[in-house]
């Protein structure tokens, strides 16, 4: 009996081992291999990143004005020859301005400027009592089209009368948001309540000019514009009070235009007197009058103007 049990045990043991081997083989065959496992879904193709739009440029290239460029301007308004040469026949005036500007190159890139008077001080109050008139917007577009054809800047000039300068400037934003349009203000024609332009000298302040400069800076930043011209005209020192408070504004080239009238000696003396203590960042301009100056002698030549110290970076002809 014992022998029989001993003979049966190895047989049972071999059967048990064989079953274990079969079960292991089946289990292994049922387990999915790495090669047959489903792969993760492929990421969808990414569209190419759009190229950034090129930044707007000045009419003759670049995004900063000085010291690269030399500006030369004609002033005027349609149908008003007393206000300067930009009164009519704009194509002929543009060609004449281009030729004149080449005389001022002096190692720089010339950039002619059309200074269009868009707000004109008046001796009569007008319907709103502000003693100023505004140009037809279609005329601004006409001048801008000619300026662009000849790769020139257009500068919009404001004579406020009794209106607030910043209000008149804000109305011009549809044009000021363009890369080739600048601004000029003429505080000689900015008067207070009870005053009439032309009967008294108007005036402005450093704070008021800073307000306009900050506004232009915001427009320049918002629309990614090149440096924008901002000119303030000045005939005598009392026309701008607290001038020392003027400060730079990013994206704005602030220019003081000295508008002295008379013979060469008087004009040069006025220029020296108004530019000796310029606030930081203020550039200079010099104005010539075809009629008023020549009553006292010959009109100053480009060489004589460029010899002024500091060199005027904008020369204006009225």
């Amino acid at each position: 009996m014992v022998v029989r049990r001993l003979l049966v045990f190895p047989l049972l043991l071999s059967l048990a081992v064989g079953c274990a081997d079969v079960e292991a083989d089946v289990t292994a065959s049922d387990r999915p291999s790495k090669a047959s496992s489903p792969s993760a879904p492929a990421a969808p193709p990414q569209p190419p990143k759009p190229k950034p739009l090129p930044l707007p440029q000045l009419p003759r290239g670049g995004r900063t004005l000085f010291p690269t460029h030399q500006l030369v301007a004609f002033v005027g308004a349609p149908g008003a020859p007393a206000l300067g040469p930009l009164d009519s026949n704009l194509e002929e005036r543009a060609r004449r301005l281009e030729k004149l500007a080449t005389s001022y190159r002096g190692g720089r890139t010339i950039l002619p400027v059309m200074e269009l008077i868009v707000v004109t001080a008046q001796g009569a109050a007008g319907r709103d009592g502000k003693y100023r008139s505004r140009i037809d917007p279609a005329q601004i577009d006409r001048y801008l089209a000619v300026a662009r054809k000849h790769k020139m800047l257009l500068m919009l000039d404001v004579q406020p009368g009794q209106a607030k300068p910043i209000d008149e400037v804000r109305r011009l934003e549809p044009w000021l948001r363009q890369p080739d349009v600048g601004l000029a203000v003429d505080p000689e024609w900015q008067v207070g309540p009870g005053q009439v332009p032309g009967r008294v000298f108007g005036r402005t302040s450093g704070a008021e000019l800073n307000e306009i400069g900050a506004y232009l800076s915001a427009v320049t930043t918002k629309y990614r514009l090149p440096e924008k011209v901002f000119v303030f005209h000045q005939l005598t020192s009392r026309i701008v009070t607290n001038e020392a408070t003027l400060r730079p504004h990013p994206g704005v080239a602030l220019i003081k235009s000295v508008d002295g009238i008379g013979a060469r000696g008087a004009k040069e003396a006025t220029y020296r007197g108004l530019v000796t203590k310029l606030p930081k960042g203020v550039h200079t301009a010099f104005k010539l009058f075809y009629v008023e100056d020549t009553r006292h002698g010959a009109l100053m030549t480009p060489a004589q103007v460029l010899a002024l110290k500091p060199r005027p970076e904008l020369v204006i002809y009225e």
Side-chain angles (χ1 to χ4, degrees):
M1 193 69 180
V2 173
V3 172
R4 187 176 178 180
R5 286 180 179 177
L6 291 174
L7 293 173
V8 172
F9 180 76
L11 179 60
L12 293 174
L13 182 61
S14 64
L15 290 173
V17 172
C19 292
D21 290 341
V22 171
E23 182 180 359
D25 291 340
V26 171
T27 304
S29 64
D30 288 345
R31 185 179 298 120
S33 65
K34 290 183 179 179
S36 63
S37 63
S39 59
Q46 297 296 317
K49 292 183 178 179
K51 293 182 179 180
L53 294 175
L55 294 174
Q57 302 284 302
L58 292 166
R60 304 195 178 190
R63 287 181 52 84
T64 57
L65 286 160
F66 306 123
T68 303
H69 296 89
Q70 175 65 52
L71 276 55
V72 181
F74 275 173
V75 182
L83 297 179
L86 283 184
D87 61 324
S88 62
N89 197 350
L90 296 184
E91 287 291 336
E92 186 275 333
R93 298 295 193 270
R95 290 190 293 269
R96 180 178 158 196
L97 175 57
E98 182 77 36
K99 182 177 180 180
L100 176 63
T102 59
S103 303
Y104 283 94
R105 182 176 283 115
R108 295 189 180 189
T109 299
I110 59 168
L111 182 52
V113 181
M114 290 185 168
E115 184 174 354
L116 173 62
I117 303 173
V118 296
V119 180
T120 307
Q122 302 287 313
R127 286 188 294 181
D128 61 0
K130 298 299 183 182
Y131 287 87
R132 55 93 179 92
S133 63
R134 295 167 174 161
I135 197 172
D136 185 339
Q139 292 283 12
I140 301 178
D141 293 335
R142 183 169 73 93
Y143 275 73
L144 180 56
V146 176
R148 282 180 172 167
K149 178 180 177 181
H150 294 272
K151 295 185 177 181
M152 298 179 175
L153 280 177
L154 179 66
M155 188 161 66
L156 307 180
D157 187 293
V158 174
Q159 300 176 358
Q162 285 190 15
K164 289 186 65 174
I166 189 63
D167 292 342
E168 299 300 318
V169 171
R170 288 182 185 277
R171 289 187 68 259
L172 300 173
E173 184 168 322
W175 296 278
L176 292 173
R177 66 178 61 169
Q178 303 299 317
D180 48 359
V181 179
L183 177 73
V185 295
D186 202 341
E188 175 188 347
W189 302 100
Q190 177 183 332
V191 298
Q195 296 179 327
V196 177
R199 296 183 186 176
V200 296
F201 275 122
R203 65 181 59 195
T204 188
S205 66
E208 201 162 42
L209 293 175
N210 279 329
E211 182 182 19
I212 297 172
Y215 166 76
L216 291 176
S217 180
V219 170
T220 301
T221 300
K222 180 177 180 180
Y223 296 101
R224 304 167 71 207
L225 302 176
E227 196 169 33
K228 189 167 291 294
V229 171
F230 174 28
V231 173
F232 65 97
H233 291 278
Q234 190 169 357
L235 180 60
T236 66
S237 59
R238 65 178 181 271
I239 286 176
V240 181
T241 61
N242 299 318
E243 188 176 339
T245 63
L246 285 174
R247 63 180 186 274
H249 299 278
V252 177
L254 182 60
I255 306 175
K256 173 196 278 198
S257 175
V258 178
D259 294 3
I261 297 174
R264 176 185 174 185
K267 290 178 72 71
E268 290 179 343
T270 301
Y271 184 76
R272 287 192 299 270
L274 291 177
V275 302
T276 51
K277 295 182 179 180
L278 287 175
K280 181 181 179 181
V282 178
H283 303 272
T284 61
F286 190 74
K287 194 169 188 179
L288 298 161
F289 296 84
Y290 279 119
V291 175
E292 290 87 346
D293 286 354
T294 54
R295 290 172 181 160
H296 306 274
L299 194 68
M300 289 179 65
T301 66
Q304 291 169 340
V305 174
L306 289 176
L308 295 169
K309 303 297 181 185
R311 168 180 173 160
E313 295 185 285
L314 165 63
V315 182
I316 304 172
Y317 283 80
E318 181 177 316

